[in-house]
PDB file of all heavy atoms in Angstrom:
ATOM      1  N   LEU A  72      27.658 -83.239  -2.992  1.00  0.00           N
ATOM      2  CA  LEU A  72      26.992 -84.210  -3.864  1.00  0.00           C
ATOM      3  C   LEU A  72      25.582 -84.614  -3.430  1.00  0.00           C
ATOM      4  O   LEU A  72      25.182 -85.763  -3.651  1.00  0.00           O
ATOM      5  CB  LEU A  72      27.865 -85.470  -3.968  1.00  0.00           C
ATOM      6  CG  LEU A  72      29.290 -85.251  -4.459  1.00  0.00           C
ATOM      7  CD1 LEU A  72      30.084 -86.542  -4.359  1.00  0.00           C
ATOM      8  CD2 LEU A  72      29.289 -84.712  -5.877  1.00  0.00           C
ATOM      9  N   PRO A  73      24.778 -83.710  -2.858  1.00  0.00           N
ATOM     10  CA  PRO A  73      23.476 -84.153  -2.341  1.00  0.00           C
ATOM     11  C   PRO A  73      22.517 -84.649  -3.422  1.00  0.00           C
ATOM     12  O   PRO A  73      21.591 -85.395  -3.118  1.00  0.00           O
ATOM     13  CB  PRO A  73      22.926 -82.913  -1.636  1.00  0.00           C
ATOM     14  CG  PRO A  73      23.536 -81.774  -2.385  1.00  0.00           C
ATOM     15  CD  PRO A  73      24.935 -82.261  -2.714  1.00  0.00           C
ATOM     16  N   THR A  74      22.742 -84.273  -4.663  1.00  0.00           N
ATOM     17  CA  THR A  74      21.802 -84.658  -5.728  1.00  0.00           C
ATOM     18  C   THR A  74      22.362 -85.735  -6.662  1.00  0.00           C
ATOM     19  O   THR A  74      21.765 -86.003  -7.706  1.00  0.00           O
ATOM     20  CB  THR A  74      21.393 -83.423  -6.552  1.00  0.00           C
ATOM     21  OG1 THR A  74      22.565 -82.835  -7.126  1.00  0.00           O
ATOM     22  CG2 THR A  74      20.660 -82.399  -5.693  1.00  0.00           C
ATOM     23  N   ILE A  75      23.474 -86.360  -6.302  1.00  0.00           N
ATOM     24  CA  ILE A  75      24.025 -87.418  -7.153  1.00  0.00           C
ATOM     25  C   ILE A  75      23.054 -88.598  -7.165  1.00  0.00           C
ATOM     26  O   ILE A  75      22.435 -88.911  -6.153  1.00  0.00           O
ATOM     27  CB  ILE A  75      25.442 -87.840  -6.705  1.00  0.00           C
ATOM     28  CG1 ILE A  75      26.137 -88.632  -7.811  1.00  0.00           C
ATOM     29  CG2 ILE A  75      25.407 -88.569  -5.370  1.00  0.00           C
ATOM     30  CD1 ILE A  75      27.636 -88.767  -7.636  1.00  0.00           C
ATOM     31  N   ARG A  76      22.890 -89.210  -8.331  1.00  0.00           N
ATOM     32  CA  ARG A  76      21.933 -90.305  -8.504  1.00  0.00           C
ATOM     33  C   ARG A  76      22.632 -91.542  -9.042  1.00  0.00           C
ATOM     34  O   ARG A  76      23.426 -91.451  -9.967  1.00  0.00           O
ATOM     35  CB  ARG A  76      20.818 -89.914  -9.477  1.00  0.00           C
ATOM     36  CG  ARG A  76      19.979 -88.738  -9.024  1.00  0.00           C
ATOM     37  CD  ARG A  76      19.079 -89.134  -7.854  1.00  0.00           C
ATOM     38  NE  ARG A  76      18.416 -87.986  -7.306  1.00  0.00           N
ATOM     39  CZ  ARG A  76      18.701 -87.446  -6.121  1.00  0.00           C
ATOM     40  NH1 ARG A  76      19.652 -87.945  -5.382  1.00  0.00           N
ATOM     41  NH2 ARG A  76      18.055 -86.408  -5.669  1.00  0.00           N
ATOM     42  N   LEU A  77      22.288 -92.684  -8.485  1.00  0.00           N
ATOM     43  CA  LEU A  77      22.793 -93.957  -8.985  1.00  0.00           C
ATOM     44  C   LEU A  77      21.973 -94.353 -10.210  1.00  0.00           C
ATOM     45  O   LEU A  77      20.745 -94.406 -10.151  1.00  0.00           O
ATOM     46  CB  LEU A  77      22.675 -95.038  -7.904  1.00  0.00           C
ATOM     47  CG  LEU A  77      23.105 -96.445  -8.308  1.00  0.00           C
ATOM     48  CD1 LEU A  77      24.594 -96.487  -8.639  1.00  0.00           C
ATOM     49  CD2 LEU A  77      22.767 -97.432  -7.198  1.00  0.00           C
ATOM     50  N   GLU A  78      22.664 -94.629 -11.316  1.00  0.00           N
ATOM     51  CA  GLU A  78      22.001 -95.079 -12.542  1.00  0.00           C
ATOM     52  C   GLU A  78      22.067 -96.601 -12.649  1.00  0.00           C
ATOM     53  O   GLU A  78      21.098 -97.231 -13.033  1.00  0.00           O
ATOM     54  CB  GLU A  78      22.650 -94.442 -13.774  1.00  0.00           C
ATOM     55  CG  GLU A  78      22.649 -92.920 -13.779  1.00  0.00           C
ATOM     56  CD  GLU A  78      21.268 -92.318 -13.952  1.00  0.00           C
ATOM     57  OE1 GLU A  78      20.395 -92.973 -14.550  1.00  0.00           O
ATOM     58  OE2 GLU A  78      21.060 -91.187 -13.466  1.00  0.00           O
ATOM     59  N   SER A  79      23.235 -97.178 -12.349  1.00  0.00           N
ATOM     60  CA  SER A  79      23.384 -98.633 -12.433  1.00  0.00           C
ATOM     61  C   SER A  79      24.611 -99.079 -11.648  1.00  0.00           C
ATOM     62  O   SER A  79      25.523 -98.301 -11.401  1.00  0.00           O
ATOM     63  CB  SER A  79      23.504 -99.085 -13.890  1.00  0.00           C
ATOM     64  OG  SER A  79      24.676 -98.562 -14.481  1.00  0.00           O
ATOM     65  N   ALA A  80      24.594-100.372 -11.289  1.00  0.00           N
ATOM     66  CA  ALA A  80      25.724-101.007 -10.597  1.00  0.00           C
ATOM     67  C   ALA A  80      25.796-102.441 -11.094  1.00  0.00           C
ATOM     68  O   ALA A  80      24.806-103.166 -11.017  1.00  0.00           O
ATOM     69  CB  ALA A  80      25.513-100.976  -9.083  1.00  0.00           C
ATOM     70  N   SER A  81      26.947-102.842 -11.615  1.00  0.00           N
ATOM     71  CA  SER A  81      27.056-104.194 -12.174  1.00  0.00           C
ATOM     72  C   SER A  81      28.059-105.039 -11.402  1.00  0.00           C
ATOM     73  O   SER A  81      28.911-104.525 -10.679  1.00  0.00           O
ATOM     74  CB  SER A  81      27.442-104.130 -13.653  1.00  0.00           C
ATOM     75  OG  SER A  81      28.743-103.628 -13.803  1.00  0.00           O
TER      76      SER A  81
END
Side-chain angles (χ1 to χ4, degrees):
L72 304 173
T74 59
I75 196 164
R76 298 288 172 251
L77 177 64
E78 302 291 333
S79 64
S81 67

